């Protein structure tokens, strides 16, 4: 009893830390840098009026959203209309529950794992499962708004996610085979010392990258919210902070996806070679190693978040049929080929 | 592979590397990355203002000479205005050589489209486009400019008058 309570309490504390230390600042930061980077790419200046360099822009954005009137269409299905943004944010946050920010640190005789749910052995499956729940948010939003555009956006998103989920799952089979586990810590440890999966699984990496763009609904796969054709897509009928929650969810997903990419393909929190070079300072459980691992991992997340934003302001949106073609006719077969090649190579090297 | 209509399309001419997109995507991303380090072209408006040249067509104004306005209230500008923005009411006076003058001259700035036709048609060069581009109104009434707001001393309009003399519209008498 006491033990389960302490597990619950540590998980709660860690969740709060990650929520206010990673998720919210990450989302606010990506909103800010999305605007800044888009401005730089387009030879503009970007937000620079609120605070030094405009860094307070996300805060005033949120204030604006909160004081806005919350409009619910008269014919909307009110329960689902209210539920959709909640699901969106929840699923975006849920991925962080298993994300390993570092290995573990030992303070006194207390061992603290640097993730919320310590070393879940089905973490990877959990991430994929949570990712597919997020489609409900968009579908609910589209359906309950009782609006043609929202509905089309919702349908698009549903079919897009179903098509890309498959190749996403399949592209990870290679990673799982190499690591021999679906625990994220295990996968990171298997990539220790620059044995990054991106080198051994380049095809799997590209497929996973493309699929995560599709899963996060970001350009070039942002068909559910294609402004020119669908007004705003699934979020057309949302106002104020409910709309803001979809926005928050989008950036949350983006950061979660960046975290997953770095965990699965770029060695996650592992700092190459330090444990071998300075075993007396950087041993497993050392506080300094733990802090450095978290810093290393957050840097990787930032790099991939930048990549997400950079892609958004470079590539044009896909057409719907091209999107489906790519998903089913290109990525699926490639993912299967990747599995076969990986297993053959592993068999040969056995 | 040809399209069903038999016409060769852009897609048919693409090579293998273009078809698999990835190298082209990398090229595009390289371009946008380079752009990030180009200087911004933004003009930060309230601090940095645009200084128009004589060719700029801003708010139309009436030219005011020392002895009064040039306008003779012929009504041509009002007739030509495609947006029906100008209202002229003629008055007569014996105090000046020019016997006609506009008793009322109003331009509705909510209608004006800054086409410059009024300036082009005016036989007296009495209405010209100024450099003013900052027009803020609190209500509709305020946006209808009367004579007191339109009349502008000729000294302030030299750039435009010079431009008109050296360019298209003006034919010396
Ligand atoms: S401004 Fe020119 S065209 Fe218009 S009424 Fe006066 S003289 Fe005629
Ligand atoms: S600029 Fe054109 S629209 Fe404006 S008052 Fe003159 S003729 Fe009318």
């Amino acid at each position: 009893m006491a033990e389960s309570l302490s597990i619950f309490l540590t998980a709660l504390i860690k969740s709060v830390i990650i929520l206010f230390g990673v998720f919210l600042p990450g989302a606010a930061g990506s909103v800010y840098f999305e605007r800044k980077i888009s401005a730089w790419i387009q030879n503009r200046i970007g937000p620079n009026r609120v605070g030094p360099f405009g860094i307070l822009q996300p805060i005033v954005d949120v204030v604006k959203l909160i004081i806005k009137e919350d409009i619910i269409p008269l014919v909307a299905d009110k329960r689902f209309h209210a539920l959709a943004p909640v699901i969106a944010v929840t699923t975006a946050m849920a991925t962080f529950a298993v994300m390993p920010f570092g290995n573990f640190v030992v303070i006194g005789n207390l061992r603290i794992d640097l993730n919320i749910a310590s070393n879940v052995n089905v973490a990877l499956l959990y991430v994929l499962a949570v990712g597919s729940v997020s489609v409900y948010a968009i579908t609910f939003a589209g359906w309950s708004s009782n609006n043609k555009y929202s509905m089309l956006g919702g349908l698009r998103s549903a079919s897009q996610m179903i098509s890309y989920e498959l190749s996403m799952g399949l592209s990870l089979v290679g990673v799982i085979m190499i690591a021999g586990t679906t625990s994220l810590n295990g996968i990171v440890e298997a990539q220790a010392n620059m044995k990054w999966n991106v080198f051994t699984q380049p095809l799997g990496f590209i497929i996973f990258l493309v699929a995560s763009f599709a899963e996060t609904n970001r350009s070039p796969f942002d068909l559910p919210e294609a402004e020119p054709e669908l007004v705003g897509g699934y979020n057309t009928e949302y106002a104020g902070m409910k709309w803001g929650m979809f926005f928050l969810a989008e950036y949350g997903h983006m950061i979660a996806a960046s975290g997953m990419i770095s965990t699965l393909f770029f060695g996650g929190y592992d700092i190459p070679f330090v444990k071998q070079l300075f075993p007396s300072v950087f041993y497993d459980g050392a506080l300094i190693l733990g802090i450095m691992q978290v810093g290393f991992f957050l840097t990787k997340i930032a790099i991939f978040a930048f990549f997400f934003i950079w892609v958004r302001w470079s590539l044009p949106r896909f057409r719907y049929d091209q999107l489906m073609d790519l998903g089913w006719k290109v990525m699926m077969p490639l993912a299967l080929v990747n599995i076969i090649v990986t297993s053959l190579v592993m068999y040969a090297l056995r | 592979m040809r399209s069903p209509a038999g016409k060769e399309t852009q897609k048919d001419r693409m090579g293998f590397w273009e078809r698999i997109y990835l190298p082209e995507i990398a090229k595009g991303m390289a371009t946008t990355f380079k752009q990030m380090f180009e200087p911004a072209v933004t003009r930060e408006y309230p601090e940095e203002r645009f200084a128009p040249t004589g060719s700029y067509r801003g708010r139309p104004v009436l030219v005011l000479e020392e002895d009064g306005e040039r306008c003779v209230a012929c009504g041509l500008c009002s007739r030509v205005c495609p947006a029906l923005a100008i209202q002229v009411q003629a008055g007569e006076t014996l105090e000046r050589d020019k016997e006609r003058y506009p008793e009322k001259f109003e331009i509705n700035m909510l209608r004006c489209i800054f086409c410059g036709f009024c300036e082009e048609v005016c036989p007296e060069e009495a209405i010209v486009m100024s450099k003013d581009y900052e027009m803020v109104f609190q209500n509709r009434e305020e946006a209808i400019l009367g004579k007191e707001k339109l009349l502008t001393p000729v000294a302030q309009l030299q750039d435009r008058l010079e431009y008109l003399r050296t360019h298209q519209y003006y034919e010396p008498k």
Side-chain angles (χ1 to χ4, degrees):
Chain A
M1 186 61 219
E3 195 189 352
S4 59
L5 188 69
S6 82
I7 289 177
F8 174 75
L9 280 181
T10 40
L12 192 68
I13 293 168
K14 282 189 244 173
S15 318
V16 171
I17 292 174
I18 287 178
L19 178 63
F20 289 101
V22 179
F23 186 78
L24 289 179
S30 16
V31 170
Y32 172 71
F33 277 104
E34 174 106 78
R35 291 168 144 214
K36 271 293 188 195
I37 290 169
S38 71
W40 292 333
I41 286 178
Q42 296 164 353
N43 297 352
R44 296 183 285 114
I45 295 174
N48 65 346
R49 298 276 152 169
V50 205
F53 304 105
I55 48 170
L56 299 181
Q57 188 67 40
I59 296 173
V60 289
D61 281 350
V62 169
V63 170
K64 184 199 92 171
L65 286 175
I66 287 175
I67 60 180
K68 265 195 167 181
E69 186 189 354
D70 179 30
I71 300 168
I72 301 170
L74 215 55
V75 286
D77 186 330
K78 303 224 166 35
R79 275 169 307 164
F80 284 109
H81 193 266
L83 186 62
V86 178
I87 300 180
V89 175
T90 318
T91 51
M93 290 194 285
T95 313
F96 289 91
V98 293
M99 196 173 284
F101 289 88
N103 200 354
F104 63 91
V105 292
V106 179
I107 302 172
N109 52 11
L110 191 68
R111 177 193 151 123
I112 303 172
D113 289 296
L114 293 176
N115 49 9
I116 298 177
S118 350
N119 305 329
V120 187
N121 56 4
V122 289
L124 189 52
L125 297 181
Y126 167 82
V127 169
L128 290 176
V130 164
S132 39
V133 174
S134 69
V135 67
Y136 284 108
I138 294 176
T139 321
F140 282 176
W143 178 261
S144 66
S145 301
N146 218 334
N147 168 324
K148 294 187 196 72
Y149 296 116
S150 308
M151 166 92 175
L152 282 172
L155 288 180
R156 276 185 180 190
S157 129
S159 50
Q160 170 178 330
M161 293 221 172
I162 290 166
S163 330
Y164 280 81
E165 209 118 84
L166 273 172
S167 6
M168 187 178 218
L170 289 176
S171 70
L172 292 181
V173 174
V175 172
I176 299 171
M177 283 197 290
I178 290 176
T181 170
T182 54
S183 136
L184 291 177
N185 285 65
I187 290 173
V188 171
E189 295 303 329
Q191 302 175 63
N193 299 338
M194 296 301 282
K195 287 200 297 290
W196 288 358
N197 280 331
V198 66
F199 304 128
T200 48
Q201 290 278 313
L203 189 59
F205 167 64
I206 288 172
I207 294 168
F208 183 77
L209 188 71
V210 174
S212 27
F213 274 93
E215 284 274 310
T216 47
N217 276 325
R218 282 194 56 96
S219 187
F221 299 102
D222 56 349
L223 283 117
E225 48 186 310
E227 299 92 356
E229 327 134 45
L230 291 185
V231 188
Y234 63 89
N235 57 23
T236 310
E237 295 291 357
Y238 282 87
M241 203 52 212
K242 279 191 192 149
W243 181 85
M245 278 164 84
F246 280 116
F247 213 62
L248 178 68
E250 182 184 330
Y251 288 101
H253 274 300
M254 190 176 97
I255 295 164
S258 315
M260 287 318 291
I261 292 172
S262 35
T263 306
L264 296 172
F265 290 96
F266 287 86
Y269 57 75
D270 183 67
I271 308 174
F273 308 119
V274 287
K275 271 191 270 182
Q276 279 71 33
L277 292 179
F278 312 102
S280 55
V281 193
F282 301 109
Y283 51 91
D284 268 330
L287 186 61
I288 173 119
L289 183 66
I291 292 171
M292 275 175 63
Q293 280 175 340
V294 172
F296 208 59
F297 186 65
L298 292 181
T299 315
K300 280 181 188 170
I301 289 189
I303 289 170
F304 282 102
F306 167 76
F307 183 73
F308 268 87
I309 295 171
W310 177 23
V311 164
R312 170 160 182 197
W313 297 100
S314 304
L315 302 181
R317 181 179 297 132
F318 273 79
R319 217 170 52 209
Y320 190 59
D321 58 324
Q322 294 171 331
L323 177 94
M324 285 293 150
D325 270 3
L326 182 68
W328 291 102
K329 295 192 196 158
V330 182
M331 304 231 305
M332 260 270 280
L334 280 180
L336 290 172
V337 167
N338 185 45
I339 295 175
I340 295 169
V341 173
T342 311
S343 36
L344 287 179
V345 171
M346 285 184 70
Y347 185 74
L349 297 179
R350 184 177 48 127
Chain B
M1 197 176 59
R2 300 235 159 174
S3 60
K7 260 199 273 170
E8 202 191 41
T9 60
Q10 177 72 35
K11 208 175 169 188
D12 299 323
R13 287 192 290 272
M14 289 197 309
F16 173 74
W17 287 108
E18 279 173 323
R19 261 165 207 277
I20 65 166
Y21 290 124
L22 290 177
E24 299 297 312
I25 286 178
K27 265 191 234 167
M29 306 262 299
T31 307
T32 45
F33 194 76
K34 260 181 254 149
Q35 286 300 317
M36 262 185 252
F37 303 99
E38 301 274 308
V41 293
T42 311
R43 175 181 284 127
E44 297 205 55
Y45 164 62
E47 290 93 36
E48 261 177 82
R49 273 157 211 269
F50 166 55
T53 59
S55 63
Y56 189 78
R57 290 207 307 263
R59 179 170 68 90
V61 295
L62 288 176
V63 182
L64 179 68
E65 304 252 35
E66 287 86 62
D67 59 340
E69 69 269 79
R70 279 185 182 177
C71 175
V72 293
C74 68
L76 279 177
C77 53
S78 160
R79 186 80 182 81
V80 79
C81 177
L84 305 180
I86 306 181
Q87 263 201 9
V88 194
Q89 229 169 59
E92 283 186 30
T93 175
L94 293 175
E95 284 165 25
R96 293 202 302 166
D97 281 354
K98 266 187 202 167
E99 288 154 27
R100 278 167 65 89
Y101 73 99
E103 223 165 43
K104 191 178 108 182
F105 197 110
E106 281 180 358
I107 302 184
N108 185 341
M109 292 315 295
L110 294 176
R111 307 202 68 145
C112 176
I113 55 171
F114 305 94
C115 61
F117 284 3
C118 47
E119 171 189 63
E120 194 171 343
V121 81
C122 179
E124 299 291 319
E125 206 178 54
I127 185 166
V128 295
M129 309 302 277
S130 69
K131 289 180 179 181
D132 182 13
Y133 54 86
E134 292 171 316
M135 280 154 273
V136 181
F137 308 110
Q138 304 280 330
N139 53 45
R140 279 157 195 273
E141 285 71 43
E142 230 178 81
I144 300 171
L145 304 184
K147 250 171 81 172
E148 70 291 346
K149 291 211 179 105
L150 291 173
L151 283 172
T152 312
V154 64
Q156 288 174 27
L157 300 167
Q158 281 313 311
D159 275 2
R160 184 67 183 176
L161 293 172
E162 179 66 22
Y163 172 80
L164 292 177
R165 260 163 221 155
T166 47
H167 290 76
Q168 58 261 46
Y169 309 147
Y170 188 76
E171 271 173 39
K173 285 183 186 137

